[in-house]
Amino acid sequence: MSKSIFRKKSIDKILADVASGFSDGEHRSDPHLKKELNVRDLTLMGIAAVVGAGIFSTIGIASFDGGPGVTILFIITAITCGFSALCYAEFASRIPVAGSAYTYAYASFGELIAWIIGWDLLMEYAIGNIAVAISWSTYFVNLLEGFNIHMPVYLTMDYVSALRAHESLQQLTASGHVADITDAIKQGAIAWNTAPGFDSFKFIANLPALAIVIAITWLVYIGIRETKKATNAMVYLKIAIVLAVIVIGFFYVTPANWHPFLPNGFRGVMKGVSGVFFAYIGFDAISTTAEECENPQRDLPRGMIYSLIICTVLYILIALVLTGMVSYKELNVGDPLAFVFHKIHLENISYIISISAVIATASVLLIFQLGQPRIWMSMSRDGLLPKAFSRIHPKYNTPSFATIVTGFVVAIPALFMNLTEVTDLTSIGTLFAFVLVCGGVLLLPREAAHKGKFHLPYINSQWIAPAVFIVGIVFFWKPMLGLFSGVNAHENFPYFLFIILSATLTVLAFIKKLSLIPVLGLLSCFYLMTELGYTNWLRFLIWLIIGLVIYFTYSYKNSKLGKE
C-alpha cells in the first residue's frame, strides 16, 4: 500500500491529459477553459490578491509591535515569498496546468501528499475568503456611514459576536465596570436588542458579506474574460489610491518618529510575522489559472515575480508613511491608514481610504474565489473528488459546479459565523503549501527543464547550507536549550520539528549538492510556520486528519491513477 499511496503522476501524463480534454465525458469535443490571460493580466491578478485587507488592517498592529523597523519584516517576508515564487515559477514552466501546488505535489511527492496539499489549499482559500468577506462587510458599512446611509446593526454582524457582546455588557454593568464597555460591545448589544426574533432566537446575519460573495461568485461563474476585466479595473483604481495616500502622507512625515528604528528590538519586529505574511498571501493563487493563460510557461513566472516586487515596494512605502506620520505607539488600531489621516485632521482622505479598502478586499475575494474551484477541478479530474467538480460550463467555459459550491462554502459561514480567530489558519496553510512546493523542486531533475522557458538558477548549497546551520547554532544556542525547559515545553513542538528539518536538510544539501534557493525557501517558510503558535498547529493537524479520513474512504478507491 505504501507504494500505491505515493504513486506519482508523471509530467508527461499530466500534460497529455490536459491535451485530451477533461470534462464529464473526457472527449476532445467537451468544453475547455478559455485562454484569455497574458503577463499583464497575471501581474495585476497577483497584485489584486496581495494588496488587500493586510495593507489596511494588519500593517497597523505589526507597526505597533516592531516600530519603523517593521519595514525589515516586509523585506524578510518578501525574500521568503520570493524563494517560494521562484519555485512556483519553476513548476509553472514545467507543468502549465491548473491545480497549483496540488498538481506540483502529484508530480513530485505522489498522490497522498498531493491530496494533503489540495485539502490544505481548500482550507486556506475557504477560511481566507470567509475572513475577507467579513472584513469587506466592515469596510462597506463604514463607507455607507460616511454617506449617512445606516443599515440596521443586526444585519451587519454575525450572531455569535452579537450574543457575546450582549453577555459582556450585562456582566460589566452588573459588576460596575462600566468604563470597560467598548464601542464594539455597545454595537453588538444594540444588534442583539434590536434584532427581530422570538424567545431567545434572534435574526442576526451579516448581509453585506453574503451579498459580496454572491456577486463575486456570479462574476467568476460567467467567465474568465469578465473576471479579468473587473480585476484589472479594480487594481488600477486601488494602486492609484494607494500611491496617492503615500504621496500625500509623505508631506506629513516627521522624521523624528522613525527614531528609534527598532524600539522593541528584532523580537518585536518578528511579533508581526503572522499579520505581515497574511498581507503577502495571494501571489500563488494565479498559478491556478495556468490553463487560461496564453503562454503559461513564460507568463506565469513573470506575473508572480512582478506582482511580488510591486507589492513589496508599496508595503514598505506605506509602512514608512504610517510610522513617520504618527508614533508607532499609536498604531495598535484596526484601520491604521484611516486613523493617521484622521489624526492630522484630513477626514476627507479617510473616505477615499474606505473606498480603496472596499475595492481592495473585493479584488482579493475575487482572485481566491477564482482559484479554489480550479483546485477542486484538478482533484476531480484525478478521481480524488466526484466528477461533478470537473464539469466545464458549455457556454461560459468555467468549472461551473465547483464555482457554485465554493460560493456556498464561503457565503454561509460569512453570513452567520465569526471566524476571525482562525485567520492564522490561512497563513499556516499557505506556508505549508510553500514548504511542499520548495521541497518538490528539489525532487525535479534539473536536466528535464524546458529550454527557453523559466528555469530556477542553480546555486550549489553543499557548503553554504552547513555554514548557515552552524551560524544559526552559534547565535541561537541559548534559546534552543530553553525549548527543553519550562512548564509548557510541549508547545515548542513546532520548533523541535524545525531544528530536525534544518539538520536533515543540511546533511542532504552537503551530500547531494541541492539547489540553494529551494533549500532556503523551504527552511524560511517552515520557520515562519513555527512562529504561528502551538494552537494553530493543532487546528491545522486536525484539519489534515479529517482530510486523510476522506482520502482513505473515498479518494484512494476512486483514484484514476490507482485504477490504471
Side-chain angles (χ1 to χ4, degrees):
M1 185 175 180
S2 60
K3 290 184 179 179
S4 59
I5 63 173
F6 292 107
R7 52 200 171 214
K8 296 181 182 179
K9 191 172 183 182
S10 69
I11 295 176
D12 290 338
K13 178 166 177 54
I14 292 172
L15 298 178
D17 284 348
V18 172
S20 65
F22 272 112
S23 194
D24 295 331
E26 293 192 354
H27 298 298
R28 192 156 182 83
S29 59
D30 287 334
H32 284 63
L33 301 175
K34 289 183 178 179
K35 293 187 177 293
E36 295 281 351
L37 306 176
N38 55 34
V39 66
R40 184 195 64 176
D41 301 321
L42 293 168
T43 302
L44 292 175
M45 280 186 169
I47 297 171
V50 175
V51 180
I55 202 169
F56 295 98
S57 57
T58 56
I59 192 174
I61 298 170
S63 299
F64 172 77
D65 290 328
V70 74
T71 52
I72 297 174
L73 183 55
F74 278 112
I75 295 171
I76 292 172
T77 309
I79 292 171
T80 300
C81 291
F83 291 143
S84 302
L86 290 171
C87 294
Y88 266 94
E90 172 78 10
F91 266 120
S93 69
R94 297 198 192 200
I95 315 175
V97 178
S100 186
Y102 159 76
T103 304
Y104 306 156
Y106 216 151
S108 53
F109 289 104
E111 185 173 284
L112 180 63
I113 304 300
W115 166 265
I116 289 174
I117 194 61
W119 185 249
D120 162 68
L121 288 173
L122 297 184
M123 177 198 70
E124 172 200 334
Y125 284 18
I127 292 179
N129 262 359
I130 292 165
V132 170
I134 294 170
S135 177
W136 183 91
S137 174
T138 304
Y139 289 126
F140 182 70
V141 171
N142 290 339
L143 181 62
L144 293 181
E145 293 286 336
F147 291 101
N148 292 318
I149 300 173
H150 307 287
M151 287 186 67
V153 184
Y154 60 84
L155 296 181
T156 64
M157 68 170 55
D158 61 277
Y159 185 91
V160 175
S161 294
L163 176 60
R164 288 176 180 172
H166 171 70
E167 293 173 345
S168 297
L169 183 66
Q170 288 183 326
Q171 292 172 359
L172 292 171
T173 304
S175 60
H177 294 87
V178 180
D180 294 332
I181 300 175
T182 63
D183 290 339
I185 292 176
K186 290 178 183 177
Q187 285 290 96
I190 291 172
W192 182 265
N193 293 326
T194 58
F198 53 90
D199 295 332
S200 60
F201 175 79
K202 299 279 187 176
F203 178 77
I204 300 173
N206 196 337
L207 288 188
L210 174 68
I212 189 62
V213 174
I214 291 174
I216 293 295
T217 302
W218 172 80
L219 185 61
V220 173
Y221 182 86
I222 63 171
I224 189 66
R225 181 180 298 172
E226 291 74 15
T227 303
K228 176 185 75 172
K229 290 178 180 178
T231 302
N232 292 356
M234 286 192 283
V235 171
Y236 285 133
L237 184 57
K238 177 167 61 176
I239 290 178
I241 294 175
V242 169
L243 289 176
V245 167
I246 291 170
V247 172
I248 295 170
F250 263 116
F251 285 103
Y252 294 89
V253 164
T254 304
N257 288 329
W258 289 333
H259 303 285
F261 193 70
L262 296 173
N264 300 316
F266 189 69
R267 182 175 294 276
V269 170
M270 293 306 292
K271 280 184 70 176
V273 163
S274 176
V276 168
F277 186 79
F278 186 77
Y280 271 100
I281 289 174
F283 73 87
D284 59 309
I286 64 175
S287 63
T288 63
T289 65
E291 290 174 42
E292 290 149 294
C293 299
E294 294 172 358
N295 190 341
Q297 293 170 313
R298 181 197 67 190
D299 293 345
L300 270 175
R302 292 181 181 181
M304 281 187 272
I305 294 168
Y306 292 166
S307 60
L308 197 58
I309 292 171
I310 293 170
C311 293
T312 301
V313 173
L314 290 177
Y315 280 161
I316 291 173
L317 292 175
I318 282 286
L320 289 173
V321 167
L322 283 178
T323 54
M325 291 176 71
V326 300
S327 169
Y328 72 93
K329 298 176 183 178
E330 301 181 58
L331 289 173
N332 191 17
V333 294
D335 54 345
L337 288 182
F339 170 78
V340 294
F341 282 100
H342 179 74
K343 190 80 175 176
I344 61 174
H345 308 294
L346 290 178
E347 281 79 7
N348 290 335
I349 303 295
S350 296
Y351 294 135
I352 297 174
I353 290 170
S354 295
I355 294 171
S356 181
V358 168
I359 296 169
T361 46
S363 66
V364 173
L365 193 63
L366 179 61
I367 298 304
F368 282 105
Q369 286 296 94
L370 178 73
Q372 186 169 338
R374 282 148 182 80
I375 294 173
W376 266 337
M377 177 187 70
S378 297
M379 296 173 76
S380 172
R381 289 170 168 179
D382 295 322
L384 305 185
L385 287 177
K387 283 185 177 181
F389 284 94
S390 59
R391 186 181 301 148
I392 305 298
H393 196 282
K395 178 181 178 183
Y396 300 124
N397 297 92
T398 57
S400 52
F401 180 79
T403 301
I404 293 172
V405 172
T406 300
F408 276 106
V409 167
V410 175
I412 294 174
L415 184 64
F416 294 113
M417 298 177 67
N418 179 3
L419 294 181
T420 52
E421 66 270 16
V422 295
T423 51
D424 280 353
L425 276 174
T426 303
S427 294
I428 199 170
T430 304
L431 284 167
F432 183 64
F434 288 1
V435 165
L436 286 186
V437 169
C438 292
V441 167
L442 293 173
L443 300 178
L444 294 177
R446 289 196 299 273
E447 62 276 4
H450 293 287
K451 292 183 179 179
K453 305 297 182 183
F454 179 85
H455 183 39
L456 192 68
Y458 173 74
I459 303 172
N460 190 348
S461 65
Q462 184 177 28
W463 300 107
I464 300 176
V468 171
F469 184 73
I470 293 170
V471 169
I473 291 176
V474 170
F475 279 94
F476 298 104
W477 66 272
K478 284 186 178 180
M480 287 169 64
L481 290 177
L483 296 176
F484 296 92
S485 59
V487 180
N488 297 317
H490 65 282
E491 294 188 3
N492 295 321
F493 168 71
Y495 292 99
F496 294 135
L497 286 182
F498 175 72
I499 293 170
I500 294 170
L501 176 67
S502 300
T504 304
L505 206 55
T506 299
V507 173
L508 290 175
F510 182 79
I511 295 173
K512 297 193 173 184
K513 300 180 181 180
L514 300 177
S515 178
L516 181 64
I517 291 176
V519 167
L520 293 178
L522 196 159
L523 290 176
S524 56
C525 288
F526 200 91
Y527 173 73
L528 291 183
M529 284 181 71
T530 64
E531 291 287 337
L532 292 176
Y534 181 71
T535 303
N536 286 309
W537 274 74
L538 284 181
R539 291 170 175 167
F540 179 61
L541 290 174
I542 290 170
W543 176 258
L544 291 186
I545 289 170
I546 294 171
L548 288 175
V549 171
I550 296 174
Y551 173 76
F552 286 111
T553 55
Y554 176 85
S555 305
Y556 174 74
K557 293 181 288 187
N558 291 279
S559 167
K560 291 183 179 178
L561 198 61
K563 291 178 179 177
E564 291 174 3

